[in-house]
Amino acid sequence: MTLTSPGPTLGVVGGGQLGRMMGEAAAPLGVEVVVSDPTPDCPASPVVRDQVVGDFDDPGTVRTLADRADYLTFEIELADPDALERAGEEAGVPVHPAPETLRIIQDKYVQKERLGEAGVPVPDYRAVDSAANLRRALDDLGYPAMLKAREGGYDGRGNVPVESPGDVEDAFAAIVGAAPGATPDDPAGAAMVEEFVDFERELAVIGCQGTDARDTFPVTETIHEAEILRETVSPARTDEAVLERAEAVARDVLDVMEGRGVYGIELFETPDCDVLLNEIAPRPHNSGHWTIEGCHTSQFEQHVRGVTGLPLGSTERRFPTATANILGDVADRQPARLHGERAVLETAAAHLHWYGKREVYDLRKMGHVTLTGADAGPGSVLSRARDLKSGLTFRAER
Ligand code: ADP
């Protein structure tokens, strides 16, 4: 391999925090990044070469991005697989992961069908397109259950728990209201319902696919509250057999995925020490942010390496590492002003990651804190990361 300057350019659909951290990771490799995002001055823009302003699914925007790039990828599932496929073909630029993989993943029901067929263990589920249909499915699956919009959900938006038969009508109406393109008259394809998994803990694995190598990062324990990821810790505090099972399931998932790059694979550990797949993100994932400091290669660097056809880096963990997300804690949308960050900056082995979002609102992902512990266990790094994060608040300027 020869290094040239400027090196290859990676076009990324989406310029949120994932695009920003991809840009930070690409620079030392000599890979330039151009992102497309509808918000001018998006979080990625200060750290990348350039931004094309336009919607994630606008064919013209994706084509402009392709014309400026040697490789195309995406950091958001709202990217349009058809636009990516066409722009890639017309501009002669490879797209990774494959648009077909994005197509499958965008629909949670199709995703589960494909993975189930391939032998990946998934919770029991049904497609439902009416309240009556949902009621019949629940006679089978039992209560409680989780009703999910098939497309467009994130951070739990698009999920509605159904506790009892009395909840069925309201839950279905809420999902149809949230599903893109679905209307009460035509809810077809809007929803799926899944057995409620009484999980012991949630786990995640970042899987990576290179030109001819495949690897997985060490298993991460993820802690959600109200369906939003709050904290991660690796190693996960579970049995060796469960870790091995999680890794094996992740490898089976990678068999189904087409195209290079990293995949965030979210899993449930069941009370009988089995592992079920929750869902996949065909991109770097919040559960892998700890790899920036915690592993020899970060998930972002690995994604850039994978997509551009460079050799994959080592996924070995360097230290037990925890992260805590900095979420918006203000009711009204307002300029973002974080307070209390000095304590994080003054702590050895603590790292602040600020995503550069101009406005904050309740539960918006604004940044994260990472804590590594060369001589500490996972429980201790997690509680220290949690303490540091609890000193951070957003306050309106008077
Ligand atoms: P999103 O795509 O919005 O992130 P997920 O489907 O991954 O939504 O669900 C978010 C969280 O909701 C999961 O991490 C888990 O905590 C909870 N959850 C989702 N599905 C189930 C289920 N079948 N049983 C129990 N909890 C679930």
Side-chain angles (χ1 to χ4, degrees):
M1 191 186 76
T2 314
L3 281 178
T4 55
S5 193
T9 298
L10 176 60
V12 185
V13 174
Q17 65 264 26
L18 302 176
R20 180 180 172 110
M21 289 184 272
M22 233 183 260
E24 289 167 351
L29 299 173
V31 173
E32 297 203 337
V33 171
V34 178
V35 299
S36 72
D37 196 283
T39 309
D41 296 320
C42 63
S45 76
V47 311
V48 299
R49 178 82 180 174
D50 206 358
Q51 174 185 0
V52 179
V53 178
D55 283 339
F56 303 124
D57 59 354
D58 173 48
T61 301
V62 183
R63 180 61 208 269
T64 305
L65 188 66
D67 284 338
R68 299 201 42 192
D70 301 300
Y71 300 91
L72 271 184
T73 191
F74 45 89
E75 56 95 88
I76 183 160
E77 279 98 316
L78 295 175
D80 179 27
D82 297 336
L84 278 165
E85 197 160 51
R86 203 170 323 118
E89 275 166 18
E90 287 172 5
V93 172
V95 184
H96 289 283
E100 179 58 15
T101 292
L102 174 60
R103 222 172 259 132
I104 292 168
I105 284 178
Q106 276 179 338
D107 184 329
K108 286 183 177 181
Y109 175 74
V110 175
Q111 186 189 134
K112 288 237 153 74
E113 289 277 286
R114 283 297 174 91
L115 291 157
E117 283 161 16
V120 173
V122 294
D124 212 354
Y125 64 96
R126 306 274 187 280
V128 287
D129 56 13
S130 69
N133 206 293
L134 172 60
R135 195 176 292 281
R136 276 194 298 277
L138 289 172
D139 286 343
D140 219 17
L141 294 177
Y143 295 85
M146 192 68 98
L147 182 63
K148 298 186 173 188
R150 283 171 56 170
E151 293 186 38
Y154 69 101
D155 288 349
R157 282 168 246 214
N159 284 0
V160 182
V162 195
E163 305 288 344
S164 66
D167 292 345
V168 166
E169 307 286 331
D170 286 352
F172 191 75
I175 279 296
V176 169
T183 64
D185 296 332
D186 182 16
M192 63 177 280
V193 65
E194 203 168 88
E195 69 172 299
F196 200 87
V197 181
D198 187 18
F199 54 78
E200 201 58 31
R201 59 180 67 71
E202 293 188 79
L203 303 172
V205 176
I206 303 293
C208 15
Q209 182 63 57
T211 315
D212 40 34
R214 176 172 289 184
D215 205 353
T216 52
F217 281 90
V219 181
T220 307
E221 180 178 339
T222 57
I223 297 152
H224 293 76
E225 206 182 298
E227 298 182 44
I228 298 181
L229 181 63
R230 309 292 167 128
E231 294 157 341
T232 71
V233 62
S234 187
R237 295 166 296 174
T238 187
D239 299 344
E240 193 56 40
V242 173
L243 298 178
E244 281 169 21
R245 181 80 189 116
E247 202 184 303
V249 169
R251 285 185 184 268
D252 288 346
V253 167
L254 287 178
D255 281 341
V256 185
M257 304 290 111
E258 259 181 69
R260 306 193 301 257
V262 304
Y263 296 87
I265 301 166
E266 295 186 81
L267 305 166
F268 297 122
E269 176 188 333
T270 64
D272 52 357
C273 292
D274 205 356
V275 167
L276 298 176
L277 178 95
N278 174 22
E279 65 167 352
I280 299 165
R283 51 166 174 79
H285 187 259
N286 196 168
S287 62
H289 291 356
W290 68 274
T291 60
I292 297 175
E293 289 86 9
C295 288
H296 285 293
T297 310
S298 78
Q299 63 163 349
F300 298 101
E301 177 174 345
Q302 196 78 316
H303 190 70
V304 174
R305 284 176 180 242
V307 171
T308 61
L310 293 170
L312 295 182
S314 160
T315 54
E316 195 185 330
R317 184 175 46 237
R318 301 165 72 205
F319 328 98
T321 304
T323 66
N325 279 344
I326 304 169
L327 301 180
D329 58 358
V330 293
D332 301 322
R333 199 178 177 114
Q334 56 187 264
R337 301 193 206 290
L338 183 68
H339 292 258
E341 75 284 4
R342 287 191 73 91
V344 179
L345 298 173
E346 286 168 1
T347 302
H351 305 266
L352 179 69
H353 290 265
W354 179 245
Y355 302 155
K357 296 180 184 176
R358 285 161 192 245
E359 289 184 317
V360 57
Y361 51 81
D362 203 28
L363 298 176
R364 189 176 199 194
K365 287 179 179 167
M366 301 299 292
H368 70 268
V369 173
T370 302
L371 199 94
T372 60
D375 46 14
S380 143
V381 283
L382 177 61
S383 76
R384 279 149 64 196
R386 185 176 288 163
D387 285 352
L388 283 172
K389 197 249 114 199
S390 68
L392 300 172
T393 50
F394 291 91
R395 256 187 256 143
E397 294 289 293
R398 274 169 242 285

